[in-house]
Amino acid sequence: MSLESRIILVDDHAAVRSGYKRFIDTEHDLRVVGEACNAEEAFALLKTIPCDALVLDISMPGQSGLELIKRVRLKWPRLPLVVLSMHDSPVVASKALEQGAKGYVTKSSDPDELIIALRKAMNEQTHLSPDIQSQGLIIENVHSQPGLPVHEAEGHSVDGATTNTSGLTPREVDVVRLLVEGKTIDQVATSLGISSKTVSNNLSQIRQKVGVQTDFELAFWAWSQGFGRKPPGFGD
């Protein structure tokens, strides 16, 4: 009987899959047994090919990696999941861990980080690549209960909206909603009947409250909380 741990790789770029497959296969106890280019293909593979860990990207056409994590957690709650992503945002990494990933490694990291994350994940430990750790993301008990729908585990209402807005005031919530809809600061000010300076001040307070620094992180946070459009690259 083979002692190799079986890995499935999910990434929409064939060159990325090929490169990491060769690297993983050099390990005496790891072997890539399947590849998929999107979430649907990955889910179908999981139904037919036994595996010990799933490595997946976050940004893919169709369903995003986050949505795939939710689906996998519900059907195979004990399968170790490791995210391999171009995004080095701690907000994205934190959301992946909340959804059920055991590891988060950026593609700019040393490839050995993926091997470390895989081994830890299969040993029920969590691992973040150094560039994520350096931004202050602390690994805590963020995983939802196995098999429990994420909207129940994280306080989401039935329609997908969340009751947790990190202490934002109603006005701050309105500011976020309008900004992630694509409105400029001046347009937000006009819509809310306040000055542009007030909107800018609100935006600074919002970023501080939710722990983000960039517009992308804010858009991702808004989407993850149930309001705002899905950021580009996170599925249709």
Side-chain angles (χ1 to χ4, degrees):
M1 183 177 69
S2 173
L3 296 179
E4 294 174 323
S5 295
R6 299 156 297 185
I7 313 298
I8 288 180
L9 285 175
V10 189
D11 194 291
D12 59 323
H13 293 96
V16 173
R17 297 197 308 271
S18 177
Y20 279 100
K21 179 183 186 303
R22 287 197 300 269
F23 184 76
I24 292 172
D25 285 346
T26 61
E27 299 293 315
H28 72 280
D29 58 342
L30 301 176
R31 181 167 61 95
V32 175
V33 296
E35 300 177 43
C37 64
N38 56 50
E40 287 298 332
E41 192 173 298
F43 203 74
L45 265 183
L46 287 168
K47 292 180 178 179
T48 59
I49 301 178
C51 79
D52 301 297
L54 182 70
V55 176
L56 67 154
D57 194 6
I58 285 287
S59 302
M60 296 185 291
Q63 284 192 330
S64 71
L66 291 176
E67 292 165 322
L68 177 58
I69 290 173
K70 288 192 289 187
R71 291 179 67 189
V72 172
R73 285 280 289 169
L74 288 172
K75 189 168 183 62
W76 299 283
R78 298 188 65 83
L79 180 65
L81 307 175
V82 175
V83 172
L84 179 63
S85 174
M86 63 175 287
H87 299 292
D88 63 357
S89 164
V91 175
V92 180
S94 178
K95 191 62 181 177
L97 295 180
E98 289 176 3
Q99 301 290 51
K102 294 296 290 184
Y104 191 100
V105 176
T106 61
K107 292 178 179 177
S108 58
S109 302
D110 188 305
D112 283 334
E113 289 296 324
L114 178 58
I115 302 301
I116 294 171
L118 277 169
R119 297 192 194 285
K120 284 189 174 182
M122 290 186 287
N123 198 34
E124 300 186 354
Q125 297 176 328
T126 303
H127 181 75
L128 303 175
S129 54
D131 51 349
I132 296 295
Q133 294 184 45
S134 68
Q135 297 183 69
L137 180 59
I138 300 174
I139 300 173
E140 295 178 343
N141 184 24
V142 295
H143 296 91
S144 59
Q145 299 175 29
L148 183 63
V150 173
H151 68 270
E152 292 181 23
E154 298 180 1
H156 288 258
S157 63
V158 175
D159 65 2
T162 180
T163 57
N164 174 23
T165 53
S166 297
L168 300 187
T169 66
R171 173 183 285 178
E172 289 170 341
V173 170
D174 287 338
V175 169
V176 172
R177 288 184 190 277
L178 292 170
L179 287 173
V180 298
E181 286 174 3
K183 295 187 181 299
T184 66
I185 286 178
D186 288 342
Q187 289 172 330
V188 172
T190 299
S191 296
L192 298 180
I194 56 180
S195 69
S196 297
K197 183 177 180 180
T198 298
V199 174
S200 296
N201 290 338
N202 286 161
L203 182 56
S204 295
Q205 293 170 348
I206 291 165
R207 286 175 170 165
Q208 184 176 4
K209 285 182 179 180
V210 304
V212 303
Q213 297 181 348
T214 67
D215 291 340
F216 169 81
E217 290 180 331
L218 181 60
F220 182 87
W221 177 86
W223 170 60
S224 72
Q225 295 299 308
F227 61 94
R229 297 179 299 179
K230 186 177 298 184
F234 281 81
D236 298 332

